[in-house]
Amino acid sequence: MQLEDSVSKIKGVGDKTSTLFHKLGVDTVEDLIHLYPRYYLSYEEPVDIDALKVGARAAIRASIASYAEAKRVRSLMLVTCTVKDITGALKITWYNMPYLCRTLHIGQEFIFVGTVTAKGAGLVMEHPEFYSPEKYADLTRTRQPVYPLTGGLSNKLVSKAMRQALPLMQQMEESLPAQVVSEFHLMPVSHAVCQMHFPESEEALRKAANRIVFDEFFFYLASMEMIKERQNYQENHYPIPYTKDTENFIRRLPFTLTNAQKRVIDEIRADFAGEHTMNRLVQGDVGSGKTIVAVIAFLMAVQAGYQCAYMVPTEVLAYQHYESISKLLSGKRVRIGLLVGSLSAKKKRHIYEKLKKHELDLVIGTHALIQDKAEYDRLALVITDEQHRFGVKQRQALSEKGWEPHVMVMSATPIPRTLALILYGDLDISIMDELPANRLPIKNCVVGTKYRPTAYRFIEKQVAMGHQVYVICPMVEESESLEVENVISYTDTLRAAVGQGIHIEYLHGRMNSEEKREIMQRYYNREIDVLVSTTVIEVGIDNPNATVMMVENAERFGLAQLHQLRGRVGRGDAQSYCIFICGKETKEAMERLEVMGKSNDGFFIANEDLRLRGPGDFFGYRQSGEANFELADIYNLTLIQI
Ligand code: ADP
Ligand code: MG
């Protein structure tokens, strides 16, 4: 057997089990080896029978005191017997194990491990595991791995398969240079992998986990370095000039660019004209005006005769950008297309064809842009918006649609600089730390639910002034349908609570793209005053006339997410307000939310968030498969400082 063999090569793993393993992302023996335990069970020292506590799992050392009897109760075969130690006796029951009647004999001593429940007057231990004292002594010295499982795949089966792969683990070649292993006092990789699955001691396990996490960081950082190296040698195939026409376009915008915008545009210009391909992350707080920067870059590339692609995470956002960018670029002879998953097959085909024939200069869309069918012609610039919603792979998939095009990614989730270097180590970073001058700082308040009626009166007043409002209902984690119900019932409540003339609509994740778009369109057209929504609207939505953002159960959201939500208002000249309703007024929740009240600065919030959550949650920032660390997430390590 070899590492690259299919798991089905392992004895006892048939087709059915292979399919189950596949669900866990395990196809080869090597994948199996990297399926690390979620946690470990330890076997405790036995306690006396009279010390047992109802509901707690415990081990006892006792001998069989009565013949085991089997009895059928409905469809169950129940085996019962009594065991005793010097402190007392205990009843034990097993289900569907009738053969125990033959194998258990009076006087035999075992260690029983299980949970006791109170039945009638006495206690019962139900369906315990049991071991000979010798076997149990072995177990207490070790810890039992508990693996990630899926229906039909038991921990026992995974453990058994793992045991068969043990010889391969022992022969694994060292993956790091010897110098690194010794310098950082690391456990050899073969040893570490074995210890992860079959730990000999607490200490060995800790060292093993340390080693595995080290590898994950090491290879991630190394691959980032490699990409960066490669890019540094990547010749600029698409020199793009800055023309008079672009200059005029900028001059005729309805606003003057902020200094930060100007600076980033200068950086892009330099990249376009430089020797190497552009690879740039534009990090700008919500509302800092990243879109126009992208549009200017597109215009330059299109005027130089190239094609461009703009990838965004949601369809709602794709439509919004399509419309606003079409408007901005009208009269510029830029042929713009929209490509999203929900288009009819026919429409999609049409767009694909036009892209291929270069009858489109700029395509705006979602993941549909990186499907196999999408082929481009002289694709010279790809931009990903709200990068934090995509993974490195998707970002690469888009650039691989062309031949080493210029790449720009934009993110509104400010992250501390060290983290940015890790996640985006392969990119040059531009920071947009300035909001357009017409913006008034958003006024925030963090309040309890008692404040709700006051908030409603406030909303009425803002609507009377011609402004619009967002209300965010919390996500319902358990199910999307509960979430839908929640949004709808909240909308009803709100309709009853505010004045007649106010038009309220809702938006949720279950609506299809057409419905969502229609609602958003009506909201932009100001036919809707108050939009009740789940966090679907979180990213990118731009309606400068909205001045109130009210977030229900704000304590359930992360600070970075709240900051994103807040970014939906304060986009125009009018004073905007953010009302965070705290549904659970504990000290911690209030303290955390107060951070939002204190500052509108995304970078400050990101740092505070990190401080409050502690470094253990460092990678909580990493979203949707940004970098796939298996263990690094779980272990609180300060390896990053190396
Ligand atoms: P974000 O950085 O969050 O993506 P957007 O690009 O959506 O921000 O811009 C937010 C709003 O600010 C838009 O309505 C946009 O037209 C406007 N805007 C962008 N730049 C400026 C500027 N320099 N002055 C005034 N308004 C601007
Ligand atoms: Mg944006």
Side-chain angles (χ1 to χ4, degrees), residues 450-471:
K450 285 197 304 284
Y451 186 81
R452 224 183 251 135
T454 320
Y456 291 162
R457 298 291 85 74
F458 183 73
I459 288 173
E460 285 170 345
K461 255 192 248 156
Q462 286 289 310
V463 171
M465 287 163 72
H467 296 310
Q468 288 165 284
V469 177
Y470 294 101
V471 178

PDB file of all heavy atoms in Angstrom, residues 450-471:
ATOM      1  N   LYS A 450     -35.503  47.613  25.089  1.00  0.00           N
ATOM      2  CA  LYS A 450     -36.502  48.583  25.576  1.00  0.00           C
ATOM      3  C   LYS A 450     -36.570  49.814  24.673  1.00  0.00           C
ATOM      4  O   LYS A 450     -37.562  50.506  24.607  1.00  0.00           O
ATOM      5  CB  LYS A 450     -36.124  49.062  26.993  1.00  0.00           C
ATOM      6  CG  LYS A 450     -36.389  48.065  28.078  1.00  0.00           C
ATOM      7  CD  LYS A 450     -36.387  48.720  29.456  1.00  0.00           C
ATOM      8  CE  LYS A 450     -35.099  49.474  29.777  1.00  0.00           C
ATOM      9  NZ  LYS A 450     -33.959  48.583  30.123  1.00  0.00           N
ATOM     10  N   TYR A 451     -35.446  50.052  23.994  1.00  0.00           N
ATOM     11  CA  TYR A 451     -35.312  51.254  23.191  1.00  0.00           C
ATOM     12  C   TYR A 451     -36.052  51.132  21.862  1.00  0.00           C
ATOM     13  O   TYR A 451     -36.222  52.105  21.137  1.00  0.00           O
ATOM     14  CB  TYR A 451     -33.815  51.497  22.941  1.00  0.00           C
ATOM     15  CG  TYR A 451     -33.486  52.785  22.244  1.00  0.00           C
ATOM     16  CD1 TYR A 451     -33.415  53.983  22.956  1.00  0.00           C
ATOM     17  CD2 TYR A 451     -33.234  52.813  20.872  1.00  0.00           C
ATOM     18  CE1 TYR A 451     -33.096  55.171  22.320  1.00  0.00           C
ATOM     19  CE2 TYR A 451     -32.922  53.998  20.222  1.00  0.00           C
ATOM     20  CZ  TYR A 451     -32.849  55.170  20.950  1.00  0.00           C
ATOM     21  OH  TYR A 451     -32.537  56.346  20.319  1.00  0.00           O
ATOM     22  N   ARG A 452     -36.510  49.906  21.567  1.00  0.00           N
ATOM     23  CA  ARG A 452     -37.097  49.649  20.246  1.00  0.00           C
ATOM     24  C   ARG A 452     -38.164  50.665  19.828  1.00  0.00           C
ATOM     25  O   ARG A 452     -38.084  51.212  18.716  1.00  0.00           O
ATOM     26  CB  ARG A 452     -37.627  48.222  20.199  1.00  0.00           C
ATOM     27  CG  ARG A 452     -37.272  47.534  18.906  1.00  0.00           C
ATOM     28  CD  ARG A 452     -37.867  46.155  18.838  1.00  0.00           C
ATOM     29  NE  ARG A 452     -36.852  45.113  18.958  1.00  0.00           N
ATOM     30  CZ  ARG A 452     -36.971  44.035  19.730  1.00  0.00           C
ATOM     31  NH1 ARG A 452     -38.051  43.869  20.471  1.00  0.00           N
ATOM     32  NH2 ARG A 452     -36.032  43.139  19.761  1.00  0.00           N
ATOM     33  N   PRO A 453     -39.171  50.936  20.704  1.00  0.00           N
ATOM     34  CA  PRO A 453     -40.208  51.897  20.283  1.00  0.00           C
ATOM     35  C   PRO A 453     -39.621  53.261  19.912  1.00  0.00           C
ATOM     36  O   PRO A 453     -40.034  53.868  18.914  1.00  0.00           O
ATOM     37  CB  PRO A 453     -41.107  52.013  21.513  1.00  0.00           C
ATOM     38  CG  PRO A 453     -40.867  50.769  22.285  1.00  0.00           C
ATOM     39  CD  PRO A 453     -39.458  50.367  22.026  1.00  0.00           C
ATOM     40  N   THR A 454     -38.641  53.712  20.689  1.00  0.00           N
ATOM     41  CA  THR A 454     -38.001  54.994  20.381  1.00  0.00           C
ATOM     42  C   THR A 454     -37.336  54.917  19.010  1.00  0.00           C
ATOM     43  O   THR A 454     -37.392  55.853  18.210  1.00  0.00           O
ATOM     44  CB  THR A 454     -36.923  55.324  21.437  1.00  0.00           C
ATOM     45  OG1 THR A 454     -37.423  54.938  22.710  1.00  0.00           O
ATOM     46  CG2 THR A 454     -36.568  56.786  21.429  1.00  0.00           C
ATOM     47  N   ALA A 455     -36.692  53.787  18.750  1.00  0.00           N
ATOM     48  CA  ALA A 455     -36.016  53.601  17.467  1.00  0.00           C
ATOM     49  C   ALA A 455     -37.037  53.673  16.328  1.00  0.00           C
ATOM     50  O   ALA A 455     -36.782  54.292  15.292  1.00  0.00           O
ATOM     51  CB  ALA A 455     -35.281  52.268  17.448  1.00  0.00           C
ATOM     52  N   TYR A 456     -38.192  53.077  16.537  1.00  0.00           N
ATOM     53  CA  TYR A 456     -39.227  53.104  15.491  1.00  0.00           C
ATOM     54  C   TYR A 456     -39.684  54.536  15.205  1.00  0.00           C
ATOM     55  O   TYR A 456     -39.866  54.931  14.068  1.00  0.00           O
ATOM     56  CB  TYR A 456     -40.432  52.242  15.893  1.00  0.00           C
ATOM     57  CG  TYR A 456     -40.132  50.753  15.911  1.00  0.00           C
ATOM     58  CD1 TYR A 456     -40.967  49.864  16.589  1.00  0.00           C
ATOM     59  CD2 TYR A 456     -39.022  50.229  15.241  1.00  0.00           C
ATOM     60  CE1 TYR A 456     -40.709  48.503  16.604  1.00  0.00           C
ATOM     61  CE2 TYR A 456     -38.753  48.868  15.255  1.00  0.00           C
ATOM     62  CZ  TYR A 456     -39.598  48.005  15.945  1.00  0.00           C
ATOM     63  OH  TYR A 456     -39.338  46.669  15.953  1.00  0.00           O
ATOM     64  N   ARG A 457     -39.850  55.330  16.307  1.00  0.00           N
ATOM     65  CA  ARG A 457     -40.260  56.737  16.105  1.00  0.00           C
ATOM     66  C   ARG A 457     -39.184  57.465  15.294  1.00  0.00           C
ATOM     67  O   ARG A 457     -39.464  58.245  14.403  1.00  0.00           O
ATOM     68  CB  ARG A 457     -40.446  57.466  17.449  1.00  0.00           C
ATOM     69  CG  ARG A 457     -41.528  56.934  18.381  1.00  0.00           C
ATOM     70  CD  ARG A 457     -42.934  57.176  17.850  1.00  0.00           C
ATOM     71  NE  ARG A 457     -43.381  56.127  16.928  1.00  0.00           N
ATOM     72  CZ  ARG A 457     -43.761  54.885  17.294  1.00  0.00           C
ATOM     73  NH1 ARG A 457     -43.771  54.520  18.567  1.00  0.00           N
ATOM     74  NH2 ARG A 457     -44.132  54.001  16.385  1.00  0.00           N
ATOM     75  N   PHE A 458     -37.924  57.137  15.608  1.00  0.00           N
ATOM     76  CA  PHE A 458     -36.806  57.781  14.930  1.00  0.00           C
ATOM     77  C   PHE A 458     -36.823  57.426  13.440  1.00  0.00           C
ATOM     78  O   PHE A 458     -36.633  58.279  12.569  1.00  0.00           O
ATOM     79  CB  PHE A 458     -35.486  57.340  15.577  1.00  0.00           C
ATOM     80  CG  PHE A 458     -34.289  58.002  14.980  1.00  0.00           C
ATOM     81  CD1 PHE A 458     -34.030  59.342  15.234  1.00  0.00           C
ATOM     82  CD2 PHE A 458     -33.440  57.304  14.144  1.00  0.00           C
ATOM     83  CE1 PHE A 458     -32.931  59.969  14.669  1.00  0.00           C
ATOM     84  CE2 PHE A 458     -32.343  57.922  13.570  1.00  0.00           C
ATOM     85  CZ  PHE A 458     -32.092  59.256  13.832  1.00  0.00           C
ATOM     86  N   ILE A 459     -37.106  56.161  13.169  1.00  0.00           N
ATOM     87  CA  ILE A 459     -37.166  55.694  11.780  1.00  0.00           C
ATOM     88  C   ILE A 459     -38.266  56.452  11.036  1.00  0.00           C
ATOM     89  O   ILE A 459     -38.068  56.930   9.911  1.00  0.00           O
ATOM     90  CB  ILE A 459     -37.396  54.166  11.736  1.00  0.00           C
ATOM     91  CG1 ILE A 459     -36.111  53.455  12.171  1.00  0.00           C
ATOM     92  CG2 ILE A 459     -37.855  53.704  10.362  1.00  0.00           C
ATOM     93  CD1 ILE A 459     -36.241  51.951  12.349  1.00  0.00           C
ATOM     94  N   GLU A 460     -39.419  56.594  11.692  1.00  0.00           N
ATOM     95  CA  GLU A 460     -40.524  57.340  11.070  1.00  0.00           C
ATOM     96  C   GLU A 460     -40.081  58.747  10.683  1.00  0.00           C
ATOM     97  O   GLU A 460     -40.368  59.236   9.593  1.00  0.00           O
ATOM     98  CB  GLU A 460     -41.714  57.438  12.037  1.00  0.00           C
ATOM     99  CG  GLU A 460     -42.481  56.136  12.169  1.00  0.00           C
ATOM    100  CD  GLU A 460     -43.509  56.174  13.297  1.00  0.00           C
ATOM    101  OE1 GLU A 460     -43.437  57.105  14.153  1.00  0.00           O
ATOM    102  OE2 GLU A 460     -44.367  55.278  13.331  1.00  0.00           O
ATOM    103  N   LYS A 461     -39.348  59.372  11.605  1.00  0.00           N
ATOM    104  CA  LYS A 461     -38.905  60.749  11.345  1.00  0.00           C
ATOM    105  C   LYS A 461     -37.956  60.813  10.152  1.00  0.00           C
ATOM    106  O   LYS A 461     -38.061  61.692   9.302  1.00  0.00           O
ATOM    107  CB  LYS A 461     -38.183  61.303  12.593  1.00  0.00           C
ATOM    108  CG  LYS A 461     -39.065  62.288  13.354  1.00  0.00           C
ATOM    109  CD  LYS A 461     -38.240  63.037  14.378  1.00  0.00           C
ATOM    110  CE  LYS A 461     -38.670  62.611  15.764  1.00  0.00           C
ATOM    111  NZ  LYS A 461     -37.664  62.798  16.797  1.00  0.00           N
ATOM    112  N   GLN A 462     -37.030  59.872  10.105  1.00  0.00           N
ATOM    113  CA  GLN A 462     -36.073  59.854   9.000  1.00  0.00           C
ATOM    114  C   GLN A 462     -36.776  59.615   7.667  1.00  0.00           C
ATOM    115  O   GLN A 462     -36.446  60.232   6.666  1.00  0.00           O
ATOM    116  CB  GLN A 462     -35.010  58.769   9.238  1.00  0.00           C
ATOM    117  CG  GLN A 462     -34.000  59.142  10.300  1.00  0.00           C
ATOM    118  CD  GLN A 462     -33.041  60.238   9.829  1.00  0.00           C
ATOM    119  OE1 GLN A 462     -32.458  60.141   8.760  1.00  0.00           O
ATOM    120  NE2 GLN A 462     -32.908  61.282  10.622  1.00  0.00           N
ATOM    121  N   VAL A 463     -37.762  58.721   7.686  1.00  0.00           N
ATOM    122  CA  VAL A 463     -38.506  58.451   6.455  1.00  0.00           C
ATOM    123  C   VAL A 463     -39.265  59.712   6.034  1.00  0.00           C
ATOM    124  O   VAL A 463     -39.295  60.075   4.854  1.00  0.00           O
ATOM    125  CB  VAL A 463     -39.454  57.242   6.626  1.00  0.00           C
ATOM    126  CG1 VAL A 463     -40.376  57.100   5.422  1.00  0.00           C
ATOM    127  CG2 VAL A 463     -38.649  55.965   6.817  1.00  0.00           C
ATOM    128  N   ALA A 464     -39.828  60.408   7.028  1.00  0.00           N
ATOM    129  CA  ALA A 464     -40.561  61.646   6.721  1.00  0.00           C
ATOM    130  C   ALA A 464     -39.627  62.671   6.062  1.00  0.00           C
ATOM    131  O   ALA A 464     -40.058  63.501   5.260  1.00  0.00           O
ATOM    132  CB  ALA A 464     -41.169  62.221   7.998  1.00  0.00           C
ATOM    133  N   MET A 465     -38.333  62.590   6.391  1.00  0.00           N
ATOM    134  CA  MET A 465     -37.372  63.514   5.783  1.00  0.00           C
ATOM    135  C   MET A 465     -36.922  63.041   4.403  1.00  0.00           C
ATOM    136  O   MET A 465     -36.043  63.641   3.787  1.00  0.00           O
ATOM    137  CB  MET A 465     -36.137  63.654   6.684  1.00  0.00           C
ATOM    138  CG  MET A 465     -36.383  64.460   7.948  1.00  0.00           C
ATOM    139  SD  MET A 465     -35.079  64.164   9.186  1.00  0.00           S
ATOM    140  CE  MET A 465     -33.734  65.050   8.410  1.00  0.00           C
ATOM    141  N   GLY A 466     -37.501  61.939   3.953  1.00  0.00           N
ATOM    142  CA  GLY A 466     -37.174  61.443   2.613  1.00  0.00           C
ATOM    143  C   GLY A 466     -36.030  60.434   2.598  1.00  0.00           C
ATOM    144  O   GLY A 466     -35.550  60.051   1.533  1.00  0.00           O
ATOM    145  N   HIS A 467     -35.582  59.995   3.781  1.00  0.00           N
ATOM    146  CA  HIS A 467     -34.478  59.039   3.818  1.00  0.00           C
ATOM    147  C   HIS A 467     -34.980  57.603   3.893  1.00  0.00           C
ATOM    148  O   HIS A 467     -36.160  57.358   4.105  1.00  0.00           O
ATOM    149  CB  HIS A 467     -33.576  59.336   5.017  1.00  0.00           C
ATOM    150  CG  HIS A 467     -32.918  60.674   4.920  1.00  0.00           C
ATOM    151  ND1 HIS A 467     -32.251  61.083   3.792  1.00  0.00           N
ATOM    152  CD2 HIS A 467     -32.851  61.698   5.815  1.00  0.00           C
ATOM    153  CE1 HIS A 467     -31.787  62.309   3.996  1.00  0.00           C
ATOM    154  NE2 HIS A 467     -32.146  62.707   5.212  1.00  0.00           N
ATOM    155  N   GLN A 468     -34.052  56.692   3.745  1.00  0.00           N
ATOM    156  CA  GLN A 468     -34.411  55.278   3.797  1.00  0.00           C
ATOM    157  C   GLN A 468     -33.654  54.541   4.895  1.00  0.00           C
ATOM    158  O   GLN A 468     -32.658  55.035   5.411  1.00  0.00           O
ATOM    159  CB  GLN A 468     -34.125  54.630   2.441  1.00  0.00           C
ATOM    160  CG  GLN A 468     -35.119  55.075   1.379  1.00  0.00           C
ATOM    161  CD  GLN A 468     -34.616  54.738  -0.005  1.00  0.00           C
ATOM    162  OE1 GLN A 468     -33.737  55.408  -0.513  1.00  0.00           O
ATOM    163  NE2 GLN A 468     -35.161  53.674  -0.588  1.00  0.00           N
ATOM    164  N   VAL A 469     -34.178  53.343   5.197  1.00  0.00           N
ATOM    165  CA  VAL A 469     -33.721  52.644   6.394  1.00  0.00           C
ATOM    166  C   VAL A 469     -33.466  51.165   6.090  1.00  0.00           C
ATOM    167  O   VAL A 469     -34.180  50.562   5.288  1.00  0.00           O
ATOM    168  CB  VAL A 469     -34.825  52.741   7.485  1.00  0.00           C
ATOM    169  CG1 VAL A 469     -34.440  51.964   8.741  1.00  0.00           C
ATOM    170  CG2 VAL A 469     -35.147  54.200   7.812  1.00  0.00           C
ATOM    171  N   TYR A 470     -32.439  50.620   6.725  1.00  0.00           N
ATOM    172  CA  TYR A 470     -32.246  49.168   6.716  1.00  0.00           C
ATOM    173  C   TYR A 470     -32.507  48.643   8.121  1.00  0.00           C
ATOM    174  O   TYR A 470     -32.084  49.259   9.098  1.00  0.00           O
ATOM    175  CB  TYR A 470     -30.794  48.798   6.436  1.00  0.00           C
ATOM    176  CG  TYR A 470     -30.238  49.141   5.084  1.00  0.00           C
ATOM    177  CD1 TYR A 470     -29.421  50.262   4.920  1.00  0.00           C
ATOM    178  CD2 TYR A 470     -30.462  48.318   3.992  1.00  0.00           C
ATOM    179  CE1 TYR A 470     -28.844  50.553   3.688  1.00  0.00           C
ATOM    180  CE2 TYR A 470     -29.889  48.612   2.761  1.00  0.00           C
ATOM    181  CZ  TYR A 470     -29.087  49.727   2.609  1.00  0.00           C
ATOM    182  OH  TYR A 470     -28.513  50.001   1.399  1.00  0.00           O
ATOM    183  N   VAL A 471     -33.183  47.503   8.212  1.00  0.00           N
ATOM    184  CA  VAL A 471     -33.276  46.825   9.499  1.00  0.00           C
ATOM    185  C   VAL A 471     -32.756  45.405   9.290  1.00  0.00           C
ATOM    186  O   VAL A 471     -33.193  44.696   8.385  1.00  0.00           O
ATOM    187  CB  VAL A 471     -34.728  46.760  10.022  1.00  0.00           C
ATOM    188  CG1 VAL A 471     -34.781  45.996  11.339  1.00  0.00           C
ATOM    189  CG2 VAL A 471     -35.297  48.162  10.198  1.00  0.00           C
TER     190      VAL A 471
END
